[in-house]
């Protein structure tokens, strides 16, 4: 495992840091918008405005889409340069979370599986933040077993007619486009009859219903589709071969979730414990040290991925290791923060003397144990694809979807 930058990487890091110092707001300063609407530090409208403004600045100065080809608005750089950018930008008061699904998940999938026409149409507006994307994958009966989707797409001339329901769709109410998995052939096994679509969210037939979370926000929505018509040209990859495209998206999603942890999180919690006079409590000290150790282990997982990227090795099942570890770390971080806050941790409004940032993190942490594949799914991937252990029995793997007894199949 390599810990040091090569001379070329060090030079790039210096260039990145210099630009960020000159253009990005300081972490914790009055212009910091990195925590954003989730932690209720600003209105949703102001947060979206700041993120859009920042994303446009990145495009104009060549810092958006580090690995994307220049012809699509990117920098044409390496995966390692993209990692360095993320490490450095994470130390400033900025975020591009509004565009995570588009730039971090849909974009790489279109780059890998899309036609030239699709790349020219979608990538630059996505990169500039002119078009916001959401992910229409999970369903009430297809969460951990994503291939069990029952949303149907039936060919009608030059269009597909889609009917079904999706759930836990982040940012659906504010999205212009979506990446959609739908079943186009129920007469083959469930993994083989799925097609990946690019869908305009303004198409008639969409009904987006926000879901209130325990944080108080409505970040997720359930989405109903009633005969939504999608042009045949909006199929990504091959018809009935959408599972391969979905795996590309999910691998990038897991990497995004795992990479969202910041080294400053644990140190900020330690500082909070000091301010509140509980840093000498032996139980709290033990929990703080546990969080710090886990954050450091996650950092070394990042170094392993960084080493692979520097050698041109694309992300693989190891992203499941990082994602699982990140979910557990965030759970412990949230639990410890509530111990530090004591009774004030029960407050989630303006009456909270220490603010509501840590309470929001605590309440949001369970979502990370589900998003991008549940902890149980990640353990299966690690066991089977990393450790080479025997796979779980899957009696339905070779059974036509229609014969699985699903309603409406």
């Amino acid at each position: 495992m390599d810990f040091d930058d090569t001379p070329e990487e060090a030079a790039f890091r210096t260039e990145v840091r210099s630009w960020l110092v000159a253009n990005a707001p300081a972490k914790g300063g009055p212009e910091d918008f990195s925590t954003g609407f989730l932690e209720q530090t600003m209105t949703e409208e102001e947060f979206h405005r700041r993120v859009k403004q920042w994303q446009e600045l990145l495009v104009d100065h060549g810092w958006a889409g580090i690995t994307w080809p220049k012809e699509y608005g990117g920098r044409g750089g390496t995966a390692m340069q993209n990692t360095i950018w993320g490490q450095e930008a994470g130390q400033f008061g900025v975020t591009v979370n509004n565009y995570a699904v588009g730039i971090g998940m849909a974009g790489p999938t279109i780059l890998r599986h899309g036609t030239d026409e699709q790349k020219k149409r979608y990538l630059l507006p996505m990169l500039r933040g002119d078009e916001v994307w959401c992910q229409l994958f999970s369903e009430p009966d297809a969460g951990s077993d994503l291939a069990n989707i029952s949303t149907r797409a039936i060919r009608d001339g030059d269009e597909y007619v889609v009917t079904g329901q999706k759930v836990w769709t982040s940012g659906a109410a504010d999205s212009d486009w979506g990446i959609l998995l739908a079943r186009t052939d129920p007469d083959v096994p469930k993994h083989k009859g799925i097609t990946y679509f690019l869908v305009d969210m303004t198409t008639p037939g969409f009904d987006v219903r926000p879901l209130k979370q325990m944080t108080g926000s409505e970040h997720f929505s359930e989405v109903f589709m009633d005969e939504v018509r999608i042009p045949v040209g909006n199929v990504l990859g091959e018809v009935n071969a959408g599972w391969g495209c979905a795996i590309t998206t999910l691998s990038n999603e897991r990497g995004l979730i795992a990479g969202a942890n910041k080294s400053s999180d644990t140190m900020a919690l330690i500082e909070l414990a000091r301010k509140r006079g509980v840093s000498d409590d032996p139980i709290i000290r033990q929990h703080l040290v546990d969080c710090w150790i886990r954050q450091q282990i996650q950092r070394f997982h990042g170094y392993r991925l960084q080493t692979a990227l520097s050698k041109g090795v694309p992300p693989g099942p190891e992203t499941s290791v990082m994602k699982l570890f990140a979910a557990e770390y965030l759970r412990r971080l949230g639990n410890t923060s509530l111990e530090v806050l004591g009774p004030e941790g029960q407050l989630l409004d303006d009456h909270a003397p220490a603010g509501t940032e840590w309470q929001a993190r605590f309440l949001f942490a369970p979502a990370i144990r589900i998003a991008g594949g549940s902890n149980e799914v990640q353990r299966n991937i690690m066991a089977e694809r990393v450790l080479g252990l025997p796979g779980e029995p899957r009696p339905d793997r070779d059974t036509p979807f229609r014969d699985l007894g699903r309603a409406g199949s």
Side-chain angles (χ1 to χ4, degrees):
M1 185 184 299
D2 299 328
F3 296 98
D4 298 323
D5 293 334
T6 65
E8 294 78 13
E9 291 164 357
F12 181 76
R13 188 181 297 277
T14 298
E15 182 184 0
V16 168
R17 190 173 300 157
S18 297
W19 189 86
L20 287 168
V21 168
N23 293 276
K27 192 76 171 177
E31 296 300 314
D32 183 343
F33 63 93
S34 60
T35 54
F37 183 67
L38 175 63
E39 295 171 4
Q40 300 178 354
T41 57
M42 62 182 65
T43 66
E44 184 175 8
E45 293 74 18
E46 176 64 10
F47 176 66
H48 290 328
R49 185 189 69 79
R50 295 289 302 281
V51 175
K52 177 73 161 59
Q53 186 180 54
W54 175 248
Q55 185 63 31
E56 290 176 344
L57 184 68
L58 295 181
V59 173
D60 292 341
H61 288 261
W63 294 111
I66 299 291
T67 61
W68 291 23
K70 293 182 179 179
E71 62 186 299
Y72 304 123
R75 189 181 181 87
T78 66
M80 187 59 203
Q81 288 177 334
N82 190 55
T83 297
I84 290 172
W85 168 265
Q87 291 171 345
E88 295 299 319
Q91 300 178 47
F92 291 82
V94 297
T95 182
V96 292
N97 282 350
N98 282 19
Y99 311 121
V101 174
I103 298 173
M105 295 158 57
T109 308
I110 293 173
L111 280 167
R112 181 171 178 178
H113 300 280
T115 64
D116 289 341
E117 290 76 15
Q118 289 171 336
K119 294 173 185 178
K120 291 175 183 177
R121 163 62 187 86
Y122 298 111
L123 292 177
L124 185 55
M126 177 189 296
L127 199 60
R128 290 192 63 86
D130 294 335
E131 294 176 344
V132 180
W133 289 67
C134 64
Q135 180 188 28
L136 300 162
F137 279 20
S138 295
E139 299 182 6
D141 292 325
S144 296
D145 185 10
L146 181 59
N148 206 41
I149 61 168
S150 58
T151 293
R152 292 289 305 277
I154 300 173
R155 180 95 182 235
D156 180 22
D158 293 333
E159 297 176 317
Y160 280 90
V161 182
V162 180
T163 299
Q165 177 188 359
K166 299 294 180 177
V167 73
W168 313 127
T169 304
S170 299
D174 300 311
S175 294
D176 305 294
W177 285 82
I179 46 177
L180 167 71
L181 294 183
R183 188 163 303 282
T184 43
D185 188 352
D187 295 317
V188 296
K190 58 185 180 181
H191 290 82
K192 298 180 180 180
I194 294 172
T195 299
Y196 194 117
F197 293 92
L198 310 175
V199 57
D200 184 344
M201 295 294 290
T202 65
T203 306
F206 271 108
D207 181 11
V208 178
R209 304 179 188 178
L211 297 169
K212 179 77 73 173
Q213 298 166 244
M214 56 186 174
T215 59
S217 69
E218 296 180 343
H219 179 64
F220 297 131
S221 294
E222 55 183 345
V223 180
F224 294 86
M225 291 161 284
D226 183 11
E227 297 189 350
V228 172
R229 290 186 169 268
I230 305 176
V232 170
N234 286 32
V235 170
L236 188 71
E238 300 295 328
V239 174
N240 295 328
W243 189 249
C245 298
I247 292 300
T248 300
T249 300
L250 293 172
S251 294
N252 282 280
E253 181 180 19
R254 290 162 187 158
L256 280 174
I257 294 172
N261 293 335
K262 304 179 182 66
S263 59
S264 59
D265 288 345
T266 303
M267 296 309 298
L269 185 56
I270 292 173
E271 183 59 29
L272 178 65
R274 288 171 177 158
K275 289 180 179 179
R276 299 184 65 81
V278 296
S279 59
D280 290 333
D281 181 289
I283 301 299
I284 289 180
R285 285 176 65 88
Q286 181 177 343
H287 292 167
L288 288 170
V289 169
D290 179 70
C291 289
W292 186 86
I293 290 172
R294 289 175 178 275
Q295 198 284 318
Q296 295 303 307
I297 293 173
Q298 183 76 339
R299 183 166 66 93
F300 283 102
H301 280 313
Y303 282 135
R304 175 183 293 172
L305 181 60
Q306 179 176 325
T307 300
L309 291 173
S310 69
K311 297 178 179 178
V313 179
E318 65 273 12
T319 57
S320 290
V321 178
M322 295 180 66
K323 195 270 180 183
L324 177 63
F325 204 90
E328 179 60 21
Y329 162 70
L330 291 173
R331 181 183 73 83
R332 292 171 182 255
L333 188 75
N335 290 350
T336 303
S337 70
L338 269 290
E339 291 183 67
V340 171
L341 289 171
E344 291 179 19
Q346 300 179 60
L347 301 176
L348 194 62
D349 55 30
D350 295 338
H351 295 93
T356 60
E357 175 181 344
W358 291 105
Q359 294 92 316
R361 292 187 185 203
F362 170 81
L363 292 172
F364 192 73
I368 304 302
R369 301 197 287 275
I370 300 171
S374 68
N375 285 4
E376 292 71 25
V377 167
Q378 306 310 322
R379 290 188 175 98
N380 279 351
I381 292 173
M382 291 161 53
E384 298 175 13
R385 302 183 195 173
V386 179
L387 300 178
L389 298 177
E392 284 194 343
R394 295 180 174 88
D396 62 347
R397 191 171 189 88
D398 298 319
T399 303
F401 182 80
R402 189 185 297 278
D403 296 337
L404 296 179
R406 291 291 309 277
S409 64

